Amino acid sequence: MKRLRLSLSILICKTLILIGKLLGKKGSSAPGKFALKICPDAMRLLSQNVSYEIICVLGTNGKTTTNNMIASLLERNKTRVICNRVGANMLDGVATAFISSTNLFGTKKADYAVLEIDEASAKLVFDHITPDIIVVTNLFRDQMDRYGEIEQTLAQLKLAIDKAPGALLCLNADDPMSSYFTKATNNRTVTFGVSEQVAKLLSETPEGRNCPLCSQPLTYAFYHYNQLGDYACSHCDFIRPQPDYYAEEIVCEPKISFRLNGKQLIETDIFGFYNIYNMLAAISVYELLEPNTQNYTELFGSYTPQTARMESFSFQKPVVLNLAKNPAGFNQAISTILSDPRKKAVVIGINDMPSDGCDISWLYDVDFEALTDCTAYGAAGKRCHDMALRLYYADVCDTPQVNADPVPLALQFLETDCQVVYVLVNYTLIFSAKDSLQKAEKAFQKSQKHKKKGETSCK
Amino acid sequence: MQVKLIHLFPDLLNLSGDRGNITVLKKRCRLRGISLEVVPLTLEDSISLADADMIYLGNGSEKDYPRIVTKLKEAEAELLAFRERGGVLLAVGNSYPMLGTSFPITTEEHPGIGLMDIKTLPSDTRLTGNASVNTPFGVLVGFENHTGITHLGASVTPLGTMLSGFGNNGSDRTEGAIYKNIFGTYLTGPLLPNNPELSDLLLEKAIRQKANHFEGLSPLPSDMENLAKGYLLNYDHRTHKR
């Protein structure tokens, strides 16, 4: 009977996925929702088909990147991996991922499951599946009106981890909010971190600068951004753990290279300091499964970033699209832009849909003040006027160009005296922005071809 | 012209882009040739209000309020003197109920700093979302996110009447409280960027309390602010759409 219900739920879920695809839908949580209604055990039953580890990636920023890095490392060995690659990371989305990778009878085997899980949903998801490895990338302030304060996020995650007492935790040693779980749980842990002071970054959002155990201020030997760094509590014995996997000799100009554990030099085509953490997280998981891997340069060489993480589109000059959805993400994106020596124009797009967070006060925690000397400034999204005002008060531009849609602004800015246009947008703007940039890119390429043809026929 | 603003505990009271409120006051002064000196204080500093014209208390985490109240109680006499001579204080978000006689910290009642006659009780519901308020000095907009239910005593005037959102208690349609030049409100967002009327009112009051014959602030353009405000005024709370 159970198997019958499972098959029925799989059939319906797969049909819905197909219909969704035909309608061009990007999200994938609704099919999983129906499946769980029909067969509440579906995920538990399907997770039994995973032969080796179930790996769950949690954290504020870098979840999708880390998750997909782990999956792509594993997939190179021809292993079969269940992965919610598009980032549908609440209960229903995880269910969809399991069902879309099984057969109609729910019997198809997989080697690993690699799943990114929303921090607030983890305690629900872990009622359905029991992870073997839990990665916590970092815990920053995000979408305050949904998660409440960061203390509540910690409490929620604690509830989740308590449901998986046998899981190994891979924690960010540099983040006191993540490494808190070395103290707050009895789980086995491994940690990763950046073990040297890197070039001075932007000023910080100080949330999370207090000890998660005793609330007294943390003191820092050095820090990288937000609360990430080498910290110790001024009051109790809480201190940054010595990381098991650590990066030194860091270069990001803007491509990243670093030395792992004093041995292997890893050179990548990946941009942005924050990606060192995502790579270290992926390495700390991969080393558990494939110890002493020597060729990370080659392994990361085949990793392609997912949608709109510093994704470049080709026009007469490049347009670079990036997702940023909270102060930590924005500050990192701004650092990356500033490390680019080219002349640039910027468009910032802010929506306030429920999945973005309706409270946009965090715009004032972002260091837009640092974004000086651009050839043009654009403000977009549903909150374009708030964003324009933010740029005005940041003293970088008195009259930003305003348009609800970021793409026309970006295309218009190609005409200014810049060499690259950066478009930073938050979550619900990202897919539409990518679509219209791709369309515009195709149209541009076509017009170039015609132009060339025209030129040759004239000769 | 010189104005001195004491920014209390910015390392703790910074949950809602609070430094934005300071940035706004600074820029609006600078554009008018007024110099605004901002003095940030931490819990370790001693509080001296002798030559202060303004005080700002931002939105903080509930868990930090016991320490903050203890610290402010130490400066009670100074704070009362500041209030009586017409000093301007703005407290937003979770710092607003702390101004009253008692307020809840994670459902437990806790004595406030007693700068105005308001009382706040705990509740099970979180009152959260965009809000707009009609006030004598213009329509204000912002974001509210609180569980406290605040009632005003007879000596206290509400900041205004709700056009949308919950306000002080979700029932009497009032928002915020004013007593002398002490201003409290649940509105964050941050509050001042979108509400230049309030920013300028606070600055004028801060200048007037020491320069009686001050002729008023020169006007600044507010087109951008009005457009931003328009979004929240036309916001549909049920559908999260305009």
Side-chain angles (χ1 to χ4, degrees), chain A residues 141 145 149 151 206 210 215 352 354 359 361 364-367 382-383 385-386 388-390 392-393 395 398, chain B residues 14-17 19-20 23-24 27-28 30-31 61-63 143 189-190 193-194 224-225 227-228 231-232:
Chain A
R141 217 187 246 186
D145 52 328
E149 296 159 11
E151 291 79 18
N210 285 337
S215 298
D352 64 351
D359 178 9
S361 59
Y364 284 83
D365 291 327
V366 178
D367 281 302
K382 286 177 183 293
R383 302 303 290 266
H385 296 297
D386 292 82
L389 203 52
R390 176 69 189 98
Y392 167 77
Y393 275 115
D395 285 331
D398 278 343
Chain B
N14 60 13
L15 270 193
S16 301
R19 72 172 189 175
T23 304
V24 166
K27 180 152 184 167
R28 298 187 79 80
R30 196 182 71 220
L31 291 171
S61 284
E62 276 197 12
K63 67 162 174 46
F143 188 85
N194 285 350
M224 259 193 273
E225 285 88 342
L227 287 166
Y231 176 83
L232 291 182

Side-chain angles (χ1 to χ4, degrees), chain B residues 70-82:
Chain B
T70 307
K71 180 71 186 174
L72 290 177
K73 279 277 186 194
E74 285 169 21
E76 193 171 13
E78 284 237 42
L79 280 165
L80 287 174
F82 175 84

Side-chain angles (χ1 to χ4, degrees), chain B residues 27-47:
Chain B
K27 180 152 184 167
R28 298 187 79 80
C29 280
R30 196 182 71 220
L31 291 171
R32 288 151 164 154
I34 301 167
S35 115
L36 180 72
E37 184 195 358
V38 180
V39 183
L41 294 182
T42 70
L43 287 178
E44 281 73 49
D45 296 318
S46 64
I47 298 179

Side-chain angles (χ1 to χ4, degrees), chain A residues 54-179:
Chain A
I54 296 178
I55 300 152
C56 292
V57 181
L58 285 68
T60 313
N61 288 357
K63 274 193 292 285
T64 310
T65 301
T66 303
N67 198 59
N68 295 359
M69 276 178 178
I70 297 169
S72 76
L73 289 178
L74 291 171
E75 277 167 351
R76 281 182 52 99
N77 303 339
K78 302 229 169 8
T79 50
R80 280 163 302 168
V81 179
I82 296 171
C83 181
N84 54 344
R85 224 173 266 271
V86 283
N89 61 12
M90 302 201 194
L91 181 62
D92 303 334
V94 179
T96 308
F98 269 101
I99 290 176
S100 63
S101 52
T102 191
N103 58 21
L104 273 183
F105 308 101
T107 53
K108 191 174 166 190
K109 295 278 175 208
D111 296 304
Y112 297 97
V114 182
L115 305 161
E116 70 156 286
I117 313 234
D118 168 79
E119 301 85 272
S121 305
K123 62 180 197 293
L124 302 176
V125 175
F126 293 176
D127 283 336
H128 293 263
I129 54 169
T130 307
D132 301 293
I133 299 174
I134 299 172
V135 181
V136 182
T137 56
N138 51 55
L139 295 167
F140 297 133
R141 217 187 246 186
D142 187 26
Q143 302 182 20
M144 273 261 308
D145 52 328
R146 187 153 76 94
Y147 294 132
E149 296 159 11
I150 197 151
E151 291 79 18
Q152 276 160 280
T153 309
L154 288 181
Q156 300 239 23
L157 271 193
K158 170 93 171 71
L159 283 178
I161 293 173
D162 284 346
K163 289 181 178 174
L168 176 86
L169 307 182
C170 286
L171 303 172
N172 187 336
D174 294 354
D175 176 15
M177 299 300 138
S178 307
S179 75

Side-chain angles (χ1 to χ4, degrees), chain B residues 1-2 32 42 46 69 110 132 135 146 156 199 210 221 226:
Chain B
M1 183 68 70
Q2 267 245 333
R32 288 151 164 154
T42 70
S46 64
V69 172
H110 200 280
S132 52
T135 76
H146 57 106
V156 175
S199 316
K210 64 174 182 187
N226 288 335

